[in-house]
Amino acid sequence: MKLLSIIIVIFVLPLSAIADSLSGVVLPCEGEVPAKKFERALGTPPGIVKGKLETDATHIFVNSFPVENDHPICSIPIVNKEFSAALPQGQYILRVVDKEYIAKQNGNATAELTTAIVKVYSKKVATLSFEVRRMTIGKASDVGVRDIEDKILLTSEPKDKVNNGPVAEEPHEEVPNVENKPSAEIEEIQSIETKLIESGQSNFMDVRLNFTLTNENVFVKPGETIPSVPGWRFGRPNQLGVLFFDNYDTRFSGYETLSHAVMYKRVEEGRYDFEGALVIRVNDLAQDNIQLSDAGSYLRFVYWIDKERQANSRRLSVVAFPTSSDRMRLGYSYRLSWGGSPTYNRSQTAVPGLKIQYNAGNYYAYVGGKSAVVLDRATAEEESVLGFLAGAGIDFNDNVRFEVNGGIFDRGANELQDVITERVILSGASAQLVVRDGMPIGSSIDFTLYRNDPLRVQRLFRQTEYPGGLSWLVSAEATALAQTLKDPQVTGGTTNQIATAGDINARVKINRTRLRLDLQYRDLAYILHTTPSLPTFSDFPSQYEQTPNFFAAVGADHNWNDFFTLGLVAGIDMPATLKTPTGVIPGDTVNGSGTSTAVIRNEGDITILPANESAVPQFATKMTARLDFAKYFSAIADIYYAFDGNQTRLERTGPGGLFERRFGEFNQLGFNFTLQARF
């Protein structure tokens, strides 16, 4: 079975001379219509028309303008300095009938009709809108296919003219003429400085529905692992069902059921853009447990220094986050990012932020700030703390990009008594180099601003496209941090704890085959920098031994006909560790003897080994089969195996005895079968 998904975009202009001048205009509405709707009517070639203006002498321009649903209306602001010479003021209408949708029933002939309208207000302002609808043509006995085409389809051979512009006009319909408007209204329309374009809507978006049959490990019974594996069930897998190489660039596991209520508005006025969005995340945890949180509500203002609104035009933008500025982070891969809201995990209030960015040509630069309110334990009063960020990036050419950012954050006073008046200051810098050919530079969805706008529909879960040929991308990132903590060797003293991290990511696409490579390094101080450290708010004592975390993963998958994808990933992970000679790990409730080793995979994910034991690498592999259907829906089967010699469990030494740690089951065989919808 092959699901056919064809994107067609309409752009109506009667003069072929301006094809080159419009090639940079971005038409951001998205969706689908059958390609045949315009092939016969406009003479476009069979197949898909993407991002390229097509023309012939007798018909009209066609560019890929997709639509959503059966009866959509999309209106697009178009700004181009060549309009004055190419397209006089007026309204241009095109109607196209789809012969495949002609039907004769109940004595009437009906057809699906697409109406496209271009309104040119001035040399710099025009809008495009269109509508797809069913209509009755006439009695079935009197109308044939050719009659319907002759009756509805009017090409650039005009029956009437408006300001010397071609018009295709339906009978008994008056075409508005801007010359007939009052002079004051004409002046308002013709001035780009006063022309105001509104868009935006309020509803749910980025909806993720997951129904999963899971068992994280068929080799164990409930209570034999940490966390416990309940057995076969419907529901979200726990952390054992998500392997170390999964979801590298997002905060979510991929099995959540959640959505985002986005109340969005956008206004364009002259050279200014104004945007605002209230974004509420709805996390459906249980029948009576639905968690609401701010997911990056924002206000955004843009001033276009250059009149032409192109991707490389000069512009100045300001983004304000009134509640949560977690989307404004430093670093580039989400797993290595820092400076988000967890930096102020002691704050009980909002962590708002502000970002000011300048874009020009092939480079950008920004500065920003955040604030929070934390409790000063020395005075028992709440106080404000501030953080400052900055960054820049440059494209040396189409294939090479270099970016750097950094910041400094006052996290409030230290909580340890002998340094309670000392400040905890986190500072650092990150850099990334990207080299690519044919593959776009992506960004984590958790850095993205939500825009609920039919003019700029944001397809957060667009299916992977396979244009054919070879494309690839390699990125390398490095981060270094310093944090002021208690010096465990000096009473009342502080020291800077240094933390480092880095990764290398490679992606290759060869026709319908994808290859991936991920290499990552994080030292223990980096993993725990938001806690901070262990013991908390203190540098590691000199008698403690630390080892870093590193992992490597390789994978490949192949797609058949945009319908079925089969993939395999394998990797090795050496977790970070903290070893103490006293038999006690800070914060542990179980006392031991001899040396004690804590295996620390992530912040809050800590396994303590039996006494005098050392950590070993974990090996894991996963096979995934994915079936995509009906555009937004998928059926996914994950089968994974891991060998982790660091698994432990708590057992009593006897009736009424104390708890002690013993090794658990090292082998893990798990299954996740998921029905998924994302839209």
Side-chain angles (χ1 to χ4, degrees):
M1 173 181 179
K2 178 179 179 181
L3 297 181
L4 181 61
S5 177
I6 302 179
I7 296 178
I8 299 245
V9 176
I10 308 175
F11 187 65
V12 182
L13 287 175
L15 301 176
S16 60
I18 61 172
D20 293 337
S21 67
L22 289 179
S23 59
V25 176
V26 177
L27 305 181
C29 288
E30 300 188 52
E32 300 178 356
V33 294
K36 294 181 180 178
K37 181 182 294 296
F38 303 104
E39 287 176 9
R40 299 183 182 91
L42 298 181
T44 57
I48 300 175
V49 179
K50 284 187 178 179
K52 180 181 179 183
L53 289 171
E54 304 285 349
T55 182
D56 63 42
T58 54
H59 294 98
I60 311 173
F61 287 102
V62 176
N63 194 4
S64 56
F65 188 129
V67 299
E68 290 275 7
N69 306 321
D70 293 330
H71 307 284
I73 296 179
C74 239
S75 179
I76 297 180
I78 307 167
V79 178
N80 191 283
K81 64 182 179 180
E82 303 297 333
F83 273 139
S84 58
L87 203 62
Q89 292 177 4
Q91 177 167 286
Y92 304 83
I93 302 176
L94 168 70
R95 289 181 174 83
V96 179
V97 66
D98 184 355
K99 293 193 294 187
E100 291 205 344
Y101 282 85
I102 296 173
K104 295 181 180 182
Q105 55 185 350
N106 299 325
N108 292 322
T110 62
E112 185 163 293
L113 178 71
T114 296
T115 302
I117 303 173
V118 170
K119 294 181 180 179
V120 179
Y121 298 107
S122 72
K123 63 176 65 178
K124 295 180 179 177
V125 178
T127 61
L128 166 64
S129 63
F130 70 89
E131 178 183 8
V132 180
R133 60 188 175 90
R134 292 264 178 132
M135 64 177 297
T136 299
I137 304 303
K139 292 183 178 181
S141 58
D142 300 332
V143 178
V145 171
R146 176 52 56 185
D147 297 327
I148 295 176
E149 289 189 37
D150 294 340
K151 200 168 188 177
I152 300 177
L153 177 59
L154 300 173
T155 65
S156 57
E157 302 279 326
K159 287 188 176 180
D160 195 4
K161 293 179 181 262
V162 176
N163 285 347
N164 299 320
V167 174
E169 184 178 44
E170 188 176 21
H172 311 297
E173 179 179 356
E174 181 179 353
V175 179
N177 188 331
V178 295
E179 283 190 343
N180 297 328
K181 295 181 180 292
S183 58
E185 187 175 353
I186 293 176
E187 290 179 1
E188 178 182 2
I189 291 176
Q190 289 180 341
S191 173
I192 192 172
E193 300 301 330
T194 59
K195 176 62 182 173
L196 184 143
I197 302 173
E198 297 186 28
S199 60
Q201 59 188 16
S202 299
N203 53 33
F204 284 87
M205 64 181 295
D206 187 6
V207 179
R208 318 180 195 184
L209 300 172
N210 289 280
F211 179 80
T212 303
L213 172 64
T214 184
N215 189 332
E216 294 89 347
N217 193 353
V218 297
F219 294 146
V220 299
K221 298 178 180 179
E224 293 184 350
T225 58
I226 302 175
S228 176
V229 175
W232 287 102
R233 67 196 186 279
F234 297 116
R236 184 188 309 179
N238 63 30
Q239 67 191 52
L240 293 179
V242 182
L243 301 180
F244 57 84
F245 47 66
D246 287 333
N247 305 306
Y248 187 80
D249 215 22
T250 178
R251 61 181 292 180
F252 295 107
S253 68
Y255 298 102
E256 297 85 0
T257 290
L258 55 83
S259 182
H260 297 80
V262 182
M263 283 61 75
Y264 175 79
K265 191 67 174 178
R266 177 188 177 94
V267 174
E268 297 180 15
E269 186 171 8
R271 297 192 184 185
Y272 296 91
D273 293 351
F274 306 92
E275 289 181 285
L278 176 65
V279 185
I280 305 298
R281 180 179 294 120
V282 183
N283 198 344
D284 193 355
L285 300 175
Q287 180 175 333
D288 56 354
N289 183 11
I290 296 179
Q291 183 184 79
L292 302 179
S293 59
D294 185 90
S297 300
Y298 66 92
L299 295 165
R300 183 171 182 262
F301 309 95
V302 181
Y303 172 69
W304 293 85
I305 300 173
D306 295 331
K307 295 181 180 180
E308 296 79 10
R309 298 184 177 211
Q310 305 295 339
N312 60 352
S313 297
R314 294 179 299 160
R315 59 193 180 275
L316 185 68
S317 61
V318 178
V319 182
F321 298 93
T323 305
S324 171
S325 56
D326 189 57
R327 292 185 180 274
M328 185 169 63
R329 286 172 166 252
L330 298 168
Y332 302 94
S333 299
Y334 190 83
R335 190 171 296 188
L336 299 188
S337 65
W338 60 285
S341 293
T343 301
Y344 293 113
N345 51 17
R346 290 189 289 168
S347 175
Q348 300 300 312
T349 62
V351 184
L354 180 73
K355 180 180 181 180
I356 303 173
Q357 181 163 320
Y358 175 76
N359 291 74
N362 63 334
Y363 69 92
Y364 72 88
Y366 72 86
V367 295
K370 300 185 178 188
S371 72
V373 176
V374 299
L375 179 67
D376 185 344
R377 294 183 179 271
T379 63
E381 297 290 343
E382 290 186 331
E383 64 170 355
S384 64
V385 289
L386 302 176
F388 300 94
L389 308 81
I394 183 171
D395 290 319
F396 293 106
N397 52 47
D398 292 339
N399 303 106
V400 180
R401 174 181 295 181
F402 177 74
E403 297 173 285
V404 62
N405 58 36
I408 182 169
F409 301 87
D410 180 358
R411 303 187 64 189
N414 199 303
E415 293 189 355
L416 300 180
Q417 190 60 40
D418 63 329
V419 287
I420 200 169
T421 60
E422 300 293 334
R423 313 299 293 181
V424 177
I425 305 297
L426 173 66
S427 60
S430 300
Q432 176 179 244
L433 178 66
V434 180
V435 182
R436 67 190 179 105
D437 185 13
M439 187 172 290
I441 300 175
S443 178
S444 170
I445 187 177
D446 299 306
F447 296 156
T448 306
L449 298 180
Y450 282 92
R451 291 182 169 89
N452 197 341
D453 189 345
L455 303 190
R456 294 166 173 80
V457 177
Q458 189 177 42
R459 295 291 299 278
L460 299 173
F461 298 108
R462 184 192 302 275
Q463 292 184 0
T464 302
E465 296 181 353
Y466 299 93
L470 171 66
S471 59
W472 56 270
L473 180 148
V474 178
S475 63
E477 177 180 350
T479 296
L481 306 179
Q483 189 160 209
T484 307
L485 301 175
K486 171 182 167 55
D487 187 342
Q489 313 302 325
V490 179
T491 302
T494 61
T495 186
N496 279 325
Q497 184 183 72
I498 305 301
T500 56
D503 68 6
I504 297 175
N505 308 110
R507 301 291 184 266
V508 179
K509 186 183 294 184
I510 307 173
N511 297 323
R512 290 186 173 270
T513 299
R514 297 185 301 175
L515 308 174
R516 61 172 281 193
L517 169 67
D518 294 306
L519 305 174
Q520 179 208 265
Y521 168 89
R522 296 179 299 170
D523 67 13
L524 185 59
Y526 192 88
I527 295 174
L528 298 176
H529 77 269
T530 60
T531 304
S533 192
L534 192 67
T536 56
F537 291 94
S538 172
D539 194 10
F540 303 119
S542 59
Q543 63 269 33
Y544 286 15
E545 296 180 19
Q546 312 102 47
T547 61
N549 159 242
F550 63 88
F551 87 74
V554 294
D557 63 50
H558 186 82
N559 175 269
W560 287 268
N561 300 322
D562 295 324
F563 180 63
F564 179 67
T565 304
L566 184 64
L568 182 68
V569 182
I572 179 174
D573 176 53
M574 184 64 205
T577 65
L578 180 68
K579 181 180 290 188
T580 71
T582 61
V584 178
I585 297 294
D588 188 18
T589 58
V590 179
N591 292 325
S593 59
T595 61
S596 184
T597 300
V599 175
I600 304 175
R601 296 177 176 87
N602 288 295
E603 184 180 22
D605 185 359
I606 301 176
T607 299
I608 300 177
L609 302 180
N612 301 315
E613 297 290 346
S614 298
V616 296
Q618 175 188 1
F619 303 90
T621 184
K622 173 188 279 190
M623 183 177 69
T624 299
R626 181 186 183 100
L627 201 66
D628 293 302
F629 54 94
K631 188 177 180 180
Y632 303 108
F633 299 87
S634 303
I636 306 169
D638 293 325
I639 304 174
Y640 48 94
Y641 171 80
F643 181 87
D644 185 1
N646 304 306
Q647 290 293 328
T648 64
R649 64 176 184 264
L650 287 173
E651 291 185 355
R652 289 189 181 274
T653 56
L658 299 176
F659 281 104
E660 69 176 11
R661 286 188 170 83
R662 297 179 181 175
F663 282 116
E665 176 60 58
F666 294 161
N667 294 285
Q668 177 187 3
L669 178 62
F671 300 87
N672 298 327
F673 302 105
T674 303
L675 290 176
Q676 182 181 87
R678 290 187 170 188
F679 50 91

